[in-house]
Amino acid sequence: MSKFDAVFVGLTILDIAGRPVQAIPQGGNVAFIEQIRLNPAGTAAGANINAAKLGIRTAAVACLGDDEKGDLIQNSYRRLGIDLSLLQFSPQRETSATILPIRPNGERPALHYRGASDDLFVSEAQFDAVLDCRYLHHGGSGLLAAMDGGQSAVLLAAAKARGIVTSFDLIAPGPDTLALLRPLLPHVDWFMPSLEEAAAISGLSDPEAIAAFFFDLGAGNCIFKDGERGSWLFQSGQPGQRIPAWQVVVQDTTGCGDGYCGGFIAALVRGLEPAAACRVASAVAALVATGLGSDAGVVDWDHTEAFMAETPLLG
């Protein structure tokens, strides 16, 4: 039996979020807001905290600074039962962090410090410990300088060779993203970007055509997250399915996509089929949107099931 149900590798940030922020005060003036929250976030951490809340055994593979921000992330992980034994610490950089002034409509402009996540490096000597799991989620390529040199592909290939189910999400795609993805995708069972990100990378607009583009690059299956329009599930050789979103009052969209990934992985671990897992994932994303931060609104598996039973779908 594997030590962990799922291991989450990659971008790990401390988010400092405040809401609602209509404007930054001029000069040295002060504006009063309703809430400020600090929580782990990022493409790996945001998925991990939500998966852990849903009751599966998880571990974090991340690089933090030896600072108060890193301490806050570790304390949050301890409270959630996330294993810390695979964490790394940078001797030269502070913990990655983002300041998020959340607008009244839930939009989230960001001020980001890249920090220690760029120093994360999982060597072959660490593979036995990191890959003692059933599922491996990798997140944040493009903001993981040391891993982006080719080691992410080596890690994912090793996971696949051991029969581990792999999933992958990215953040802030740019002109170099497609080149980063080419060696990774043949080792990815579940490619899980937003539809907007996938369209920007592929240069296409139709979800089915976008999925075909990434299948040609080697992805096993594709899920495209599409905000209030729900998500798209494309399994190789099967017709695509649109998964509707759940109807909620949105407070903050920070971490909704990461929550989706965590919910999907937790549901797969619990034995759900992919379409049912996507519905759980959509519910987790909706719950995250109801509050401030990457895990707001998510309590546990039973609470999520009750939410799904009581909440109408959009569209």
Side-chain angles (χ1 to χ4, degrees):
M1 180 179 177
S2 300
K3 183 176 181 180
F4 305 112
D5 293 318
V7 169
F8 294 79
V9 179
L11 187 63
T12 300
I13 297 166
L14 183 71
D15 271 1
I16 303 101
R19 61 168 289 274
V21 178
Q22 300 200 29
I24 303 299
Q26 293 185 353
N29 294 331
V30 175
F32 295 96
I33 59 177
E34 296 175 6
Q35 186 181 11
I36 295 174
R37 186 168 181 232
L38 285 70
N39 65 275
T43 330
N48 195 348
I49 57 178
N50 284 289
K53 281 190 168 186
L54 297 180
I56 68 169
R57 299 169 297 132
T58 76
V61 178
C63 190
L64 308 177
D66 184 14
D67 55 25
E68 76 291 345
K69 296 184 289 294
D71 292 344
L72 283 163
I73 290 173
Q74 291 179 77
N75 288 336
S76 295
Y77 281 178
R78 289 188 188 97
R79 286 195 296 270
L80 293 171
I82 296 170
D83 188 277
L84 309 181
S85 63
L86 303 174
L87 290 178
Q88 302 176 16
F89 296 90
S90 171
Q92 66 252 5
R93 289 187 175 91
E94 295 180 12
T95 301
S96 304
T98 304
I99 297 173
L100 294 158
I102 308 301
R103 295 187 175 119
N105 66 358
E107 291 179 345
R108 48 186 176 92
L111 301 167
H112 181 62
Y113 165 69
R114 288 186 62 142
S117 288
D118 273 333
D119 289 343
L120 174 67
F121 189 83
V122 184
S123 69
E124 284 85 343
Q126 298 167 301
F127 281 6
D128 283 345
V130 170
L131 299 179
D132 192 2
C133 58
R134 297 168 57 199
Y135 292 80
L136 181 80
H137 182 70
H138 188 298
S141 289
L143 291 179
L144 302 170
M147 291 295 289
D148 288 342
Q151 193 67 6
S152 289
V154 175
L155 175 64
L156 288 166
K160 285 293 295 174
R162 298 182 187 215
I164 295 168
V165 178
T166 58
S167 54
F168 179 83
D169 192 11
L170 46 78
I171 189 168
D176 298 327
T177 301
L178 184 55
L180 281 172
L181 288 178
R182 288 186 185 277
L184 299 175
L185 288 179
H187 314 297
V188 171
D189 292 308
W190 294 98
F191 180 46
M192 303 179 68
S194 71
L195 181 61
E196 181 180 7
E197 291 167 336
I201 295 165
S202 66
L204 303 169
S205 58
D206 176 68
E208 188 169 351
I210 296 171
F213 176 88
F214 290 111
F215 285 148
D216 286 345
L217 293 179
N221 306 278
C222 294
I223 293 172
F224 303 138
K225 299 163 290 190
D226 197 20
E228 66 182 15
R229 291 171 293 278
S231 57
W232 290 89
L233 168 64
F234 292 96
Q235 295 177 262
S236 183
Q238 299 184 29
Q241 299 181 60
R242 189 179 75 84
I243 309 296
W246 302 87
Q247 185 174 315
V248 295
V249 177
V250 175
Q251 299 293 331
D252 170 26
T253 58
T254 303
C256 290
D258 304 330
Y260 188 108
C261 292
F264 179 75
I265 293 164
L268 290 184
V269 168
R270 287 174 167 268
L272 274 66
E273 294 299 316
C278 285
R279 288 189 283 274
V280 171
S282 186
V284 172
L287 285 165
V288 169
T290 65
L292 186 63
S294 295
D295 62 337
V298 180
V299 178
D300 56 25
W301 182 263
D302 291 342
H303 176 266
T304 303
E305 286 194 315
F307 167 84
M308 295 170 66
E310 298 165 358
T311 307
L313 293 165
L314 285 169

